[in-house]
Amino acid sequence: MIDKSIMAPEAYKPLAFRVNGTDATLDVPPAKRLLSILRDDLLLTGTKRSCDIGRCGACMVLINGEPVNACLAMAYQCEGKEITTIEGVRGAEEGVLHPIQQAFLEEGGYQCGYCTPGMVISVVALLAVNRAPSNEDIEEALSGNLCRCTGYGGILRAVARAVELGKEEAHAGNEAGSGADVG
């Protein structure tokens, strides 16, 4: 039997990062998983716990804009980073859904909804770097996300719709900014 009294407890260290645009500092063990920090310490429960081994994508978040499974990211890896969870994905105005979230609603890109936050995060990351993805690009971007309910048809339609909504938004922005500037 191991005498636990001689084992040093895991040291807690301050972890400073930004989550959804807000600075956060917590005292946590360096090897604590980001998923636990988000859900248990910060009460951001939109990031889902599922497989705990990085295979399903339910816990997908953005770290400095890159999609990462929060169940695999350790606290020490998040020091000074910008973390975006599903709670940080929102529309341009208060109470308005992000175009990707709107597309998932319009196209039935969810059934039980458990995988939806991770799917939305993955699509946000994709469209941030590729405004006109091919079907292959979409499938690659979603390859780390599993859905056990929908069969992916609605999800793929939702991504296509999100691309269209992005184009409409960009077009509307161009029209609004294209007025003659007389000065």
Side-chain angles (χ1 to χ4, degrees):
M1 182 166 202
I2 298 174
D3 180 3
K4 292 184 180 178
S5 66
I6 62 170
M7 296 174 67
E10 189 172 13
Y12 281 66
K13 299 191 189 262
L15 168 67
F17 59 102
R18 289 180 60 80
V19 62
N20 299 329
T22 302
D23 291 329
T25 302
L26 302 169
D27 286 331
V28 297
K32 187 171 186 175
R33 293 176 186 216
L34 176 59
L35 179 60
S36 295
I37 293 169
L38 295 172
R39 291 184 59 82
D40 303 337
D41 298 331
L42 298 175
L43 304 178
L44 296 171
T45 58
T47 302
K48 302 302 182 204
R49 173 174 277 121
S50 187
C51 73
D52 274 334
I53 59 172
R55 296 226 175 137
C56 71
C59 67
M60 196 69 66
V61 297
L62 299 177
I63 299 180
N64 288 348
E66 296 293 322
V68 174
N69 290 303
C71 71
L72 299 179
M74 300 297 146
Y76 75 89
Q77 295 172 306
C78 300
E79 178 67 36
K81 304 284 175 66
E82 176 73 35
I83 313 295
T84 304
T85 68
I86 191 66
E87 289 90 350
V89 176
R90 52 181 71 90
E93 299 174 20
E94 182 70 29
V96 175
L97 293 175
H98 187 282
I100 295 168
Q101 294 168 316
Q102 185 64 42
F104 268 75
L105 281 174
E106 290 176 9
E107 297 298 331
Y110 61 93
Q111 191 164 339
C112 82
Y114 202 80
C115 69
T116 306
M119 294 277 185
V120 168
I121 289 288
S122 292
V123 175
V124 166
L126 169 65
L127 297 184
V129 297
N130 185 349
R131 308 283 280 164
S134 67
N135 288 337
E136 292 79 22
D137 295 333
I138 294 166
E139 289 174 10
E140 175 67 25
L142 293 177
S143 66
N145 300 82
L146 297 178
C147 177
R148 292 172 174 91
C149 299
T150 67
Y152 297 93
I155 293 167
L156 296 174
R157 284 191 313 272
V159 177
R161 178 69 179 135
V163 169
E164 288 303 313
L165 289 172
K167 288 177 185 175
E168 290 171 12
E169 212 172 69
H171 181 70
N174 287 340
E175 284 185 356
S178 66
D181 190 6
V182 180

